[in-house]
Coordinates of all heavy atoms in Angstrom, one line a residue:
P138 N 142.7 45.7 -27.9 CA 142.8 46.7 -28.8 C 141.8 47.7 -28.8 O 140.7 47.5 -28.5 CB 142.9 46.1 -30.1 CG 142.1 44.8 -30.0 CD 142.2 44.4 -28.6
G139 N 142.2 49.0 -28.8 CA 141.3 50.2 -28.8 C 140.6 50.5 -30.2 O 139.7 51.2 -30.2
L140 N 141.3 50.0 -31.3 CA 140.9 50.3 -32.6 C 140.7 49.0 -33.4 O 141.6 48.3 -33.4 CB 141.9 51.4 -33.2 CG 141.4 51.8 -34.7 CD1 140.2 52.7 -34.6 CD2 142.5 52.8 -35.1
V141 N 139.6 48.9 -34.0 CA 139.3 47.7 -34.8 C 138.7 48.1 -36.1 O 137.9 49.0 -36.1 CB 138.3 46.7 -34.0 CG1 138.2 45.4 -34.8 CG2 139.0 46.4 -32.7
K142 N 139.0 47.4 -37.2 CA 138.5 47.7 -38.5 C 137.2 47.0 -38.7 O 136.8 45.9 -38.1 CB 139.4 47.2 -39.6 CG 140.8 47.9 -39.6 CD 141.6 47.3 -40.7 CE 142.9 48.1 -40.7 NZ 142.9 49.5 -40.9
P143 N 136.2 47.7 -39.4 CA 134.9 46.9 -39.7 C 135.1 45.5 -40.3 O 136.1 45.3 -41.0 CB 134.3 47.9 -40.6 CG 134.9 49.1 -40.5 CD 136.3 48.9 -40.1
S144 N 134.2 44.7 -39.9 CA 134.2 43.2 -40.4 C 135.2 42.3 -39.6 O 135.0 41.2 -39.6 CB 134.4 43.0 -41.8 OG 135.8 43.0 -42.1
Q145 N 136.0 42.9 -38.7 CA 136.9 42.1 -37.9 C 136.2 41.8 -36.6 O 135.1 42.1 -36.3 CB 138.1 42.9 -37.7 CG 138.9 43.1 -39.0 CD 140.4 43.6 -38.8 OE1 140.6 44.4 -37.8 NE2 141.3 43.4 -39.7
T146 N 137.1 41.1 -35.8 CA 136.7 40.6 -34.5 C 137.3 41.3 -33.3 O 138.5 41.5 -33.3 CB 137.0 39.1 -34.4 OG1 136.3 38.3 -35.3 CG2 136.6 38.6 -33.0
V147 N 136.5 42.0 -32.4 CA 136.9 42.5 -31.2 C 137.3 41.4 -30.3 O 136.4 40.6 -29.9 CB 135.9 43.5 -30.5 CG1 136.4 43.9 -29.2 CG2 135.8 44.7 -31.5
S148 N 138.4 41.3 -29.6 CA 138.8 40.3 -28.7 C 139.3 41.1 -27.4 O 140.3 41.8 -27.5 CB 139.9 39.4 -29.2 OG 139.5 38.6 -30.2
L149 N 138.6 40.8 -26.4 CA 138.9 41.5 -25.1 C 139.1 40.5 -23.9 O 138.5 39.5 -24.0 CB 137.8 42.6 -24.7 CG 137.5 43.6 -25.5 CD1 136.3 44.5 -25.0 CD2 138.8 44.5 -25.8
T150 N 140.0 40.9 -23.1 CA 140.3 39.9 -21.9 C 139.9 40.8 -20.7 O 140.4 42.0 -20.4 CB 141.8 39.5 -22.1 OG1 141.9 38.7 -23.2 CG2 142.1 38.7 -20.7
C151 N 139.3 40.0 -19.8 CA 139.3 40.6 -18.4 C 140.1 39.8 -17.3 O 139.8 38.6 -17.2 CB 137.6 40.6 -17.9 SG 137.4 41.2 -16.2
T152 N 140.9 40.5 -16.8 CA 141.8 39.8 -15.8 C 141.3 40.0 -14.3 O 141.0 41.3 -14.0 CB 143.2 40.4 -15.9 OG1 143.8 40.1 -17.2 CG2 144.2 39.7 -14.8
V153 N 141.1 39.1 -13.6 CA 140.5 39.2 -12.2 C 141.6 38.9 -11.1 O 142.2 37.9 -11.3 CB 139.3 38.2 -12.0 CG1 138.7 38.4 -10.8 CG2 138.1 38.6 -13.1
S154 N 141.6 39.8 -10.2 CA 142.4 39.5 -9.0 C 141.7 39.7 -7.7 O 140.6 40.4 -7.7 CB 143.7 40.5 -9.1 OG 143.2 41.9 -9.0
G155 N 142.2 39.1 -6.7 CA 141.4 39.2 -5.4 C 140.3 38.2 -5.2 O 139.7 38.2 -4.1
G156 N 140.1 37.4 -6.3 CA 139.0 36.4 -6.1 C 139.1 35.5 -7.4 O 139.4 35.9 -8.4
S157 N 138.6 34.2 -7.2 CA 138.6 33.4 -8.3 C 137.3 33.4 -9.1 O 136.3 33.5 -8.5 CB 138.7 31.9 -7.7 OG 138.7 30.9 -8.7
I158 N 137.4 33.3 -10.4 CA 136.2 33.3 -11.3 C 135.5 32.0 -11.2 O 134.4 31.8 -11.7 CB 136.6 33.5 -12.9 CG1 137.6 32.4 -13.3 CG2 137.3 34.8 -13.0 CD1 137.9 32.5 -14.7
T159 N 136.0 31.0 -10.4 CA 135.3 29.7 -10.1 C 134.7 29.7 -8.8 O 134.2 28.8 -8.5 CB 136.3 28.6 -10.3 OG1 137.2 28.6 -9.3 CG2 136.9 28.4 -11.7
T160 N 134.6 30.7 -8.1 CA 134.1 30.7 -6.8 C 132.5 30.7 -6.7 O 131.9 31.7 -7.6 CB 134.5 32.0 -5.9 OG1 135.9 31.8 -5.7 CG2 133.8 32.1 -4.6
T161 N 131.8 29.8 -6.1 CA 130.4 29.9 -6.1 C 130.0 31.1 -5.4 O 130.4 31.4 -4.3 CB 130.0 28.6 -5.3 OG1 130.5 27.4 -6.0 CG2 128.5 28.4 -5.3
S162 N 128.8 31.8 -5.9 CA 128.2 31.5 -7.0 C 128.1 32.7 -7.9 O 127.0 33.2 -8.2 CB 126.8 30.9 -6.7 OG 126.1 31.9 -6.0
Y163 N 129.3 33.2 -8.2 CA 129.4 34.6 -9.0 C 129.3 34.3 -10.6 O 129.6 33.2 -11.0 CB 130.6 35.1 -8.7 CG 130.7 35.6 -7.3 CD1 131.5 34.9 -6.3 CD2 129.9 36.7 -6.8 CE1 131.5 35.3 -5.0 CE2 129.8 37.0 -5.5 CZ 130.8 36.5 -4.7 OH 130.7 36.8 -3.2
Y164 N 128.8 35.3 -11.1 CA 128.7 35.5 -12.7 C 129.6 36.6 -13.1 O 129.8 37.7 -12.4 CB 127.2 35.8 -13.0 CG 126.3 34.6 -12.6 CD1 125.9 34.3 -11.3 CD2 125.9 33.7 -13.7 CE1 125.1 33.3 -11.0 CE2 125.1 32.7 -13.3 CZ 124.7 32.4 -12.1 OH 123.8 31.5 -11.7
W165 N 130.2 36.4 -14.2 CA 131.2 37.3 -14.8 C 130.8 37.9 -16.2 O 130.6 36.9 -17.1 CB 132.5 36.7 -14.8 CG 133.0 36.0 -13.5 CD1 132.7 34.8 -12.9 CD2 133.7 36.8 -12.6 NE1 133.1 34.7 -11.6 CE2 133.8 35.9 -11.3 CE3 134.3 38.1 -12.4 CZ2 134.4 36.3 -10.1 CZ3 135.0 38.6 -11.2 CH2 135.1 37.5 -10.1

């Protein structure tokens, strides 16, 4: 979401393509 009310929680997701987030030895 681009707009969040004060005191609430921002929840964002990063979708990765072209490589695995489990590949040694990268940091996300």
Side-chain angles (χ1 to χ4, degrees):
L140 184 63
V141 183
K142 297 182 182 297
S144 81
Q145 294 187 336
T146 296
V147 171
S148 297
L149 301 177
T150 297
C151 183
T152 300
V153 178
S154 61
S157 173
I158 61 174
T159 65
T160 296
T161 305
S162 56
Y163 293 110
Y164 293 75
W165 305 89

